[in-house]
């Protein structure tokens, strides 16, 4: 009986010892730090990873993350120094560097995020309210983010928090302003395109007018030169004709008549409406070109024929050659 009681007491003591021993140790991981609180009062901060001891039942351990934490800030509208409204989307990165102060000030990660979000919005409005739209979008974006980070870090130090980085993800105009800017940009590009087209059309007309003028001048020069050459050829032809006429008027008259025959019969149509005794066919009736006269009626006196000289025959032959119905060109024909 006594052995059973003693065994039960020993078992109870062992269980109590196990419970006390288990509650007197705690583990700190590499990514966390521990705050030991005794009866509600902070006692110490443990940052070294491993197994540590505490008083059982009266000490509590609060684990606090020591990694870099994210703070996502919703997009908000900010007025820049040039009175332009901007929709800014920013975020921050921070870590807890003083666990005791962090526990006393905010108590938890959610409480820290709520306080830091308010401070981040205030820093954004202060810094970006002094900058212009161009500085934020293009010229001084990095400098503005560093200034926001410095202000947020100073204000977050009272919570035991170190702000590692602040970034502006996007900084856009509101939707209505974006549409207005887009329309203005589109109008400006259309104006520039119209100006380029007008300039190109003007240049094209100038080039076309210059080319037409050059063509007209070239054609006029060529025409004048051709007329000059043609006139010189006509002059030389007339000189040759005059020289030939002076050398042999009878042959020249015969040659002109042959040209008239050729010009009047070269289109496969030899029909002519002429009198049989026409002077045009005088070389058909007589190789010498002298027309026969009709004998006068009986009882009449025939006057003696006029005396014919070479010059007279030449004139007669010339008039006979020209008596046809088809005009004879003055240029000499090609030799057969």
């Amino acid at each position: 009986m006594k052995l059973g009681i003693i065994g039960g007491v020993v078992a109870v003591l062992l269980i109590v010892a196990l419970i006390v021993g288990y509650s007197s140790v705690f583990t700190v991981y590499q990514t966390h730090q521990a705050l030991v609180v005794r009866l509600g009062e902070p006692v110490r901060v443990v940052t070294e990873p491993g197994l540590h001891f505490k008083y059982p039942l009266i000490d509590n351990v609060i684990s606090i993350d020591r990694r870099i934490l994210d703070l996502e800030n919703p997009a908000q509208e900010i007025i820049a120094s040039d009175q332009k409204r901007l929709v800014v989307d920013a975020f921050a990165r921070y870590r807890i560097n003083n666990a005791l102060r962090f526990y006393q000030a905010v108590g938890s990660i959610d409480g820290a995020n709520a306080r830091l979000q308010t401070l981040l919005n205030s820093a954004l409005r202060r810094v970006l309210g002094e900058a212009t739209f161009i500085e934020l979008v293009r010229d001084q974006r990095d400098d503005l983010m560093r200034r926001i980070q410095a202000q947020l870090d100073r204000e977050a130090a009272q919570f035991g928090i170190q702000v590692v980085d602040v970034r502006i993800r996007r900084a856009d105009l509101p939707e209505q302003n974006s549409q207005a800017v887009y329309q203005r940009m589109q109008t400006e590009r259309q104006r520039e395109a119209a100006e380029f087209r007008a300039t190109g059309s003007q240049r094209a007309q100038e080039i076309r007018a210059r080319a037409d003028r050059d063509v007209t001048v070239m054609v006029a020069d060529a025409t004048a030169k051709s007329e000059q050459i043609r006139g010189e050829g006509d002059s030389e032809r007339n000189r040759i004709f005059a020289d030939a006429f002076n050398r042999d008027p009878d042959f020249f008259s015969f040659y002109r008549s042959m040209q008239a025959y050729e010009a009047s019969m070269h289109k496969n149509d030899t029909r002519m409406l002429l009198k049989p005794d026409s002077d045009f066919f005088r070389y058909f009736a007589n190789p010498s070109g002298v027309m026969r006269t009709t004998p006068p009626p009986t009882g009449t006196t025939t006057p003696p024929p006029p005396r014919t000289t070479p010059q007279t025959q030449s004139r007669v032959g010339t008039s006979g050659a020209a008596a046809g119905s088809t005009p004879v060109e003055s240029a000499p024909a090609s030799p057969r």
Side-chain angles (χ1 to χ4, degrees):
M1 187 67 182
K2 292 182 178 180
L3 292 176
I5 295 174
I6 294 173
V9 172
V10 172
V12 171
L13 291 176
L14 288 175
I15 293 174
V16 172
L18 289 176
I19 294 174
V20 171
Y22 180 77
S23 62
S24 64
V25 296
F26 63 93
T27 302
V28 178
Y29 296 96
Q30 292 86 351
T31 58
H32 288 73
Q33 54 188 335
L35 175 64
V36 180
V37 180
R38 183 174 299 164
L39 300 177
E41 294 293 332
V43 177
R44 58 192 172 98
V45 177
V46 180
T47 58
E48 293 296 329
L51 188 64
H52 298 271
F53 295 92
K54 64 181 180 65
Y55 291 105
L57 302 179
I58 62 173
D59 286 349
N60 293 327
V61 178
I62 300 174
S63 181
I64 299 175
D65 202 333
R66 62 186 301 180
R67 293 172 297 182
I68 296 178
L69 304 176
D70 296 335
L71 174 63
E72 293 293 337
N73 190 45
Q76 59 178 329
E77 189 172 307
I78 295 175
I79 301 177
S81 62
D82 53 359
Q83 302 304 316
K84 289 186 178 180
R85 295 182 177 273
L86 303 174
V87 178
V88 179
D89 184 9
F91 65 91
R93 300 288 184 266
Y94 69 95
R95 66 161 57 96
I96 301 171
N97 60 351
N98 191 328
L100 178 58
R101 185 178 298 175
F102 174 82
Y103 176 74
Q104 293 174 343
V106 293
S108 63
I109 300 297
D110 293 336
N113 287 339
R115 300 292 293 273
L116 288 177
Q117 186 174 2
T118 303
L119 296 177
L120 178 58
N121 291 336
S122 299
L124 287 172
R125 294 182 183 279
R126 284 195 302 269
V127 175
L128 300 183
E130 299 174 355
T132 62
F133 174 73
I134 300 300
E135 292 174 350
L136 174 59
V137 174
R138 184 186 62 189
D139 297 341
Q140 301 181 9
R141 191 185 187 98
D142 294 338
D143 182 62
L144 293 174
M145 289 188 295
R146 284 193 295 268
R147 290 170 55 187
I148 295 172
Q149 176 188 349
Q151 291 191 17
L152 182 61
D153 184 50
R154 287 196 302 267
E155 296 176 353
Q158 59 182 333
F159 306 131
I161 295 174
Q162 178 188 3
V163 178
V164 177
D165 192 16
V166 174
R167 292 289 171 179
I168 298 176
R169 186 181 290 113
R170 295 185 62 182
D172 300 329
L173 294 171
E175 183 63 26
Q176 59 274 17
N177 293 2
S178 299
Q179 292 297 329
V181 171
Y182 175 75
Q183 293 294 336
R184 186 168 64 251
M185 293 174 61
Q186 184 178 13
T187 303
E188 182 67 18
R189 296 300 178 271
Q190 291 176 353
R191 185 191 63 79
E192 292 179 357
E195 183 178 355
F196 290 153
R197 292 192 188 95
T199 304
S201 177
Q202 180 182 359
R203 294 291 302 277
Q205 291 180 1
E206 292 177 357
I207 295 173
R208 192 178 295 109
R210 191 180 303 110
D212 293 342
R213 184 194 61 188
D214 294 341
V215 168
T216 303
V217 172
M218 292 174 63
V219 170
D221 293 342
T223 303
K225 189 173 182 179
S226 65
E227 292 296 334
Q228 180 180 0
I229 295 174
R230 187 178 294 109
E232 293 176 355
D234 292 342
S235 176
E236 183 66 17
R237 180 194 62 182
N238 294 333
R239 186 189 64 79
I240 294 174
F241 279 172
D243 183 62
F245 179 78
N246 292 330
R247 291 185 179 183
D248 193 345
D250 294 336
F251 176 77
F252 186 78
S253 176
F254 175 76
Y255 177 72
R256 292 297 297 276
S257 296
M258 294 299 105
Q259 283 184 326
Y261 295 157
E262 181 180 8
S264 62
M265 301 178 185
H266 74 284
K267 294 183 180 180
N268 298 325
D269 188 7
T270 58
R271 291 174 297 177
M272 296 184 183
L273 186 60
L274 297 173
K275 295 188 299 182
D277 58 348
S278 173
D279 191 42
F280 183 71
F281 297 110
R282 59 196 176 103
Y283 283 100
F284 284 86
N286 189 354
S288 62
V290 178
M291 295 295 295
R292 296 178 180 179
T293 58
T294 304
T298 305
T300 60
T301 304
T302 302
R307 185 177 180 179
T308 304
T309 63
Q311 291 78 6
T312 305
Q313 291 180 359
S314 174
R315 288 193 298 270
V316 171
T318 303
S319 60
S325 64
T326 304
V328 181
E329 192 171 343
S330 60
S334 302
R336 301 245 174 171

